[in-house]
Amino acid sequence: MPKMTMTKASKGNAKQFPVRVTTMDAELEFTIEPKTTGKELFDMVGRTIGLRETWYFGLQYVDSKDYVAWLKFDKKVLDQGISKESQIQFTFLAKFYPEEVSGELVQEITQHLFFLQVKQSILNMDIYCPPEASVLLAAFAVQAKYGDYDESTYQPGMLASDDLLPQRVLDQYQMTPAMWEDKIKFWYAERRGMTSDEAEMDYLKIAQDLEMYGVNYFQIKNKKDSDLWIGVDARGIGVYDRDNRLLPKVAFPWSEIKNISFNDKRFTIKNVNKKEPHFVFYAPKPRINELILELCMGNHELYMRRRRPDSMEIQQMKEKAMEEKARKQMDRSRLAREKQLREEAVREKEEMERRFLQMQDEVRQTQEALARSEETAELLHEKMTVLDEEARLLTQKAAEAEAEVQRIKLTAIKTEEERMHMEQRAHDAEILAAAILEDSENRAKEAEQLKDELMKAKLSEKAAKGKLLELTQTMSHTDYSTSIPSYPVLASDLSPTLQYVESGAPLPDGDIFSGNLDQLSLEMEKERREYLSKSKTLQDQLKDLKSEIQVLKVEDRSSTLDRLHDESMQRGDSKYATLRKVTANSAKARVAFFEEL
């Protein structure tokens, strides 16, 4: 935890006392004087952490008699049964809870502190959470801590060091840590796009529907001396069976309560209708009644406060929160646009590189085709030369044969036998001459064909050279050294209003965000409707998850609360349906029912 030290200004040589205050995410150290009041110390803590919604919180401590107590603001710190032997220890906690987190928690620091405290209460099993909902809440917690799931950087076991699920859940399933991580990772990936504060708020929206959320329990007895529990929360007072703190048997909303008091162990609650009987119960010790009274008074005051118009302070806080949300939305939109531009630049560069490689390949293929064309043309030229030479020789032989025929015809034949012999030789010579002539003609035709093929090869070579020139010119006019453009978020890029806020100066007149507030309100209302519409989907998904892990559940390891929760779900007794049912009868009937428990 971060550690900060603050010292209250002192006068003279008054003795000072060291104080340590532990919040959900920091440890603070102060020095107080004997006259320092609880309110002064509490205000120092609030100023240090930047908290304005202080009415939800208090300073809890263990007094010299080992009782858990809340520091009273109207008394001096050292006059409240606090041991002064060493450093005085306090814990800064939410003392009262809102009825509806999304509509009441204004500051992000308030929301964050509630998120941390509720998460810790669920993990410590002070708030019962069913297994399937525990997995979903763990995914929201991971999103709030790490941001969007990135498959390229996620490593198995990454969540192993995080405390994400109640031990009660881990104990009742035959599942390894890796199997639980896979379930959480699936839901974590589904949360992509959520900011940290959005994930924390959705966590609280789900958690506030848990039966034990925001309830302070105390053991009591009725007139029959039955062991019971009462629970004090934002809506009123509920009475619970000794073995079932999930759903109340009967409840009394703050709207019906006019007066609260106790005398020794007897605690009395009077109805606004004087004709209705008092609700009376008994605590084990007067000290318990004192703590019950303190919580009842604070919850009742906040209940009434919510039903009055917002004070000027609340209005200013809400307006500032809306402006901050508008600024953040604009920043997120700008960052999203810059990310989109970077991604488009990356894609464009990759496309250009792909085209470049493709063109390089085309150039290579064209060069190979050109080389083949040149080689073919050279071979054809050589072959044509050989054929021309063969044709010339054949023509020469034919001429010689013809001359021989003529010479033989002109030679005088002295005898008939010589003449016939010479005629036979002439006939043979004529046949040979005709064959040679025919062969010569064939060779001439073949030479002509080779000339055509050579012409085609030269044309192909010319076309290949032209394409190579075209590709070379295209590549010379294309810049393939394009790098991914960067889009830094500079201070000069920020809106003037944001710079004023960061510097601590007052906002200028005509704040550029004022025109966005109405639109933002509409967007918030749209978000609320969308959340309600998503609830059904979430419930269906939770049912599917429950079915998936049900086969790995070890039934004899289920806790009492798990069994009670499953039974209430089978009956259709949800948290809010039960609250409506246990407040439906008259106050007289409910008091009578309580006394008979």
Side-chain angles (χ1 to χ4, degrees):
M1 288 185 179
K3 184 176 179 181
M4 292 177 278
T5 303
M6 296 288 292
T7 304
K8 184 178 184 296
S10 61
K11 296 181 181 180
N13 296 320
K15 186 176 181 180
Q16 297 181 338
F17 298 88
V19 172
R20 179 189 294 269
V21 178
T22 302
T23 72
M24 294 305 300
D25 60 353
E27 288 186 354
L28 314 176
E29 291 186 353
F30 303 91
T31 301
I32 64 171
E33 300 175 357
K35 64 179 181 179
T36 301
T37 65
K39 182 68 164 63
E40 289 173 330
L41 176 59
F42 182 79
D43 288 344
M44 280 193 284
V45 176
R47 287 193 300 269
T48 302
I49 63 177
L51 179 70
R52 293 184 64 185
E53 294 174 277
T54 55
W55 45 86
Y56 292 112
F57 298 90
L59 291 172
Q60 192 179 84
Y61 65 100
V62 178
D63 64 16
S64 56
K65 296 181 180 180
D66 288 334
Y67 284 107
V68 174
W70 294 93
L71 190 67
K72 293 180 173 58
F73 291 169
D74 58 346
K75 293 184 178 181
K76 295 177 182 179
V77 174
L78 301 181
D79 290 347
Q80 301 189 45
I82 294 173
S83 175
K84 310 176 188 63
E85 294 180 359
S86 59
Q87 190 178 49
I88 304 171
Q89 303 284 339
F90 291 100
T91 305
F92 187 85
L93 293 171
K95 187 177 181 180
F96 307 105
Y97 287 71
E99 292 180 57
E100 174 55 51
V101 290
S102 60
E104 296 179 44
L105 300 183
V106 179
Q107 285 187 288
E108 285 188 15
I109 179 63
T110 313
Q111 172 185 304
H112 182 61
L113 290 172
F114 266 100
F115 163 73
L116 293 176
Q117 185 167 332
V118 172
K119 179 166 75 77
Q120 192 61 50
S121 296
I122 290 174
L123 294 177
N124 291 344
M125 296 178 286
D126 294 328
I127 296 177
Y128 171 78
C129 184
E132 62 277 10
S134 298
V135 174
L136 175 59
L137 291 179
F140 280 108
V142 173
Q143 178 71 19
K145 181 176 181 179
Y146 295 107
D148 285 347
Y149 169 76
D150 187 345
E151 186 175 3
S152 63
T153 59
Y154 184 89
Q155 296 292 330
M158 172 181 167
L159 307 179
S161 59
D162 292 336
D163 193 9
L164 297 174
L165 296 173
Q167 191 62 44
R168 185 198 79 256
V169 174
L170 298 175
D171 290 342
Q172 61 183 295
Y173 290 88
Q174 291 179 328
M175 294 177 64
T176 65
M179 294 169 69
W180 283 117
E181 181 172 353
D182 285 343
K183 296 297 182 185
I184 295 172
K185 184 181 70 174
F186 172 80
W187 288 78
Y188 168 36
E190 292 287 311
R191 312 276 80 79
R192 184 185 302 276
M194 276 190 171
T195 62
S196 177
D197 57 301
E198 289 171 344
E200 289 182 353
M201 177 53 73
D202 275 9
Y203 184 104
L204 291 174
K205 286 178 181 177
I206 295 171
Q208 73 179 355
D209 291 340
L210 300 176
E211 294 91 339
M212 297 176 69
Y213 166 88
V215 183
N216 287 283
Y217 296 93
F218 301 93
Q219 289 183 327
I220 63 164
K221 294 179 182 291
N222 59 7
K223 292 180 179 179
K224 292 178 63 176
D225 207 31
S226 300
D227 290 328
L228 301 167
W229 293 92
I230 69 158
V232 182
D233 66 10
R235 290 177 170 80
I237 298 174
V239 179
Y240 301 77
D241 278 339
R242 181 182 61 182
D243 299 324
N244 184 0
R245 290 189 294 165
L246 288 181
L247 299 174
K249 303 293 290 183
V250 65
F252 301 89
W254 296 122
S255 58
E256 296 180 353
I257 297 173
K258 180 180 180 180
N259 181 270
I260 305 172
S261 62
F262 74 91
N263 182 11
D264 195 27
K265 298 180 181 180
R266 177 188 171 98
F267 200 101
T268 303
I269 297 176
K270 296 181 180 179
N271 197 291
V272 292
N273 186 347
K274 295 181 179 179
K275 296 181 180 180
E276 297 289 353
H278 301 335
F279 170 42
V280 178
F281 60 83
Y282 301 86
K285 297 180 180 179
R287 183 66 179 267
I288 301 299
N289 272 339
E290 182 179 347
L291 186 55
I292 295 173
L293 178 63
E294 186 178 350
L295 290 172
C296 285
M297 291 174 62
N299 274 297
H300 185 271
E301 180 182 350
L302 288 176
Y303 178 88
M304 300 305 295
R305 179 176 180 172
R306 295 181 191 107
R307 282 146 182 82
R308 294 193 294 265
D310 289 339
S311 65
M312 184 61 66
E313 179 186 12
I314 299 296
Q315 292 179 36
Q316 292 174 349
M317 288 171 58
K318 287 185 176 180
E319 184 176 353
K320 183 175 178 60
M322 293 176 72
E323 291 173 356
E324 287 296 323
K325 185 171 184 178
R327 289 188 181 95
K328 289 186 176 182
Q329 183 60 44
M330 291 179 66
D331 287 342
R332 285 200 296 269
S333 298
R334 182 175 56 192
L335 290 173
R337 177 58 180 164
E338 290 171 355
K339 181 179 179 182
Q340 180 183 357
L341 290 174
R342 284 195 295 271
E343 291 174 348
E344 289 176 356
V346 170
R347 287 194 295 270
E348 183 178 352
K349 182 181 179 183
E350 291 175 347
E351 176 62 20
M352 292 176 68
E353 290 176 344
R354 186 189 66 79
R355 288 291 309 279
F356 178 68
L357 293 174
Q358 181 181 359
M359 293 175 72
Q360 279 186 325
D361 188 57
E362 290 179 2
V363 168
R364 180 184 57 78
Q365 293 178 5
T366 303
Q367 288 175 335
E368 291 175 354
L370 177 60
R372 287 194 299 271
S373 298
E374 291 175 344
E375 183 180 355
T376 302
E378 184 178 352
L379 291 173
L380 289 173
H381 181 73
E382 291 177 356
K383 189 173 183 180
M384 187 178 70
T385 302
V386 172
L387 288 174
D388 285 343
E389 181 64 22
E390 289 180 350
R392 186 185 65 78
L393 292 173
L394 287 173
T395 302
Q396 184 179 351
K397 287 182 178 181
E400 292 175 352
E402 181 65 24
E404 179 68 14
V405 170
Q406 293 299 327
R407 187 178 62 80
I408 292 173
K409 287 181 177 180
L410 294 175
T411 302
I413 308 284
K414 295 182 177 182
T415 64
E416 184 66 22
E417 292 178 357
E418 288 179 344
R419 185 184 64 78
M420 293 178 63
H421 178 69
M422 292 304 293
E423 286 181 354
Q424 182 64 40
R425 288 184 63 189
H427 179 70
D428 292 341
E430 286 178 356
I431 293 174
L432 177 61
I436 292 173
L437 182 61
E438 183 181 359
D439 190 22
S440 176
E441 290 175 351
N442 289 337
R443 293 299 178 94
K445 290 180 181 180
E446 187 175 351
E448 192 66 29
Q449 289 176 354
L450 286 174
K451 287 181 181 179
D452 292 341
E453 290 181 10
L454 178 61
M455 181 62 67
K456 291 179 182 179
K458 288 183 177 180
L459 291 175
S460 176
E461 177 182 348
K462 182 178 180 181
K465 288 181 178 178
K467 186 172 183 181
L468 179 61
L469 177 61
E470 179 185 352
L471 288 171
T472 305
Q473 290 175 345
T474 302
M475 292 172 65
S476 66
H477 286 84
T478 305
D479 182 8
Y480 293 100
S481 62
T482 305
S483 59
I484 303 175
S486 60
Y487 300 89
V489 181
L490 303 176
S492 59
D493 293 334
L494 299 177
S495 66
T497 305
L498 182 56
Q499 293 176 354
Y500 282 124
V501 172
E502 289 178 344
S503 65
L507 292 174
D509 292 337
D511 183 6
I512 61 172
F513 290 98
S514 59
N516 295 332
L517 295 183
D518 291 341
Q519 181 63 29
L520 185 58
S521 297
L522 294 174
E523 291 177 0
M524 292 175 69
E525 177 62 22
K526 180 181 178 182
E527 289 176 4
R528 187 187 69 82
R529 291 196 301 268
E530 289 176 350
Y531 175 77
L532 292 176
S533 67
K534 287 191 300 184
S535 295
K536 179 64 168 60
T537 303
L538 277 177
Q539 293 301 322
D540 292 340
Q541 290 175 333
L542 285 172
K543 289 179 181 177
D544 292 340
L545 176 59
K546 184 175 182 179
S547 299
E548 289 176 17
I549 62 178
Q550 187 68 27
V551 294
L552 300 171
K553 187 174 183 179
V554 182
E555 291 299 334
D556 59 2
R557 295 181 188 173
S558 296
S559 68
T560 301
L561 290 178
D562 285 306
R563 291 191 292 272
L564 290 170
H565 175 77
D566 290 342
E567 291 171 3
S568 64
M569 290 298 99
Q570 291 173 5
R571 295 192 305 268
D573 291 341
S574 65
K575 174 179 178 177
Y576 301 107
T578 300
L579 287 176
R580 288 191 295 270
K581 183 167 65 175
V582 298
T583 57
N585 295 329
S586 66
K588 181 178 180 180
R590 279 178 278 142
V591 169
F593 178 78
F594 164 72
E595 291 178 348
E596 291 299 320
L597 288 175

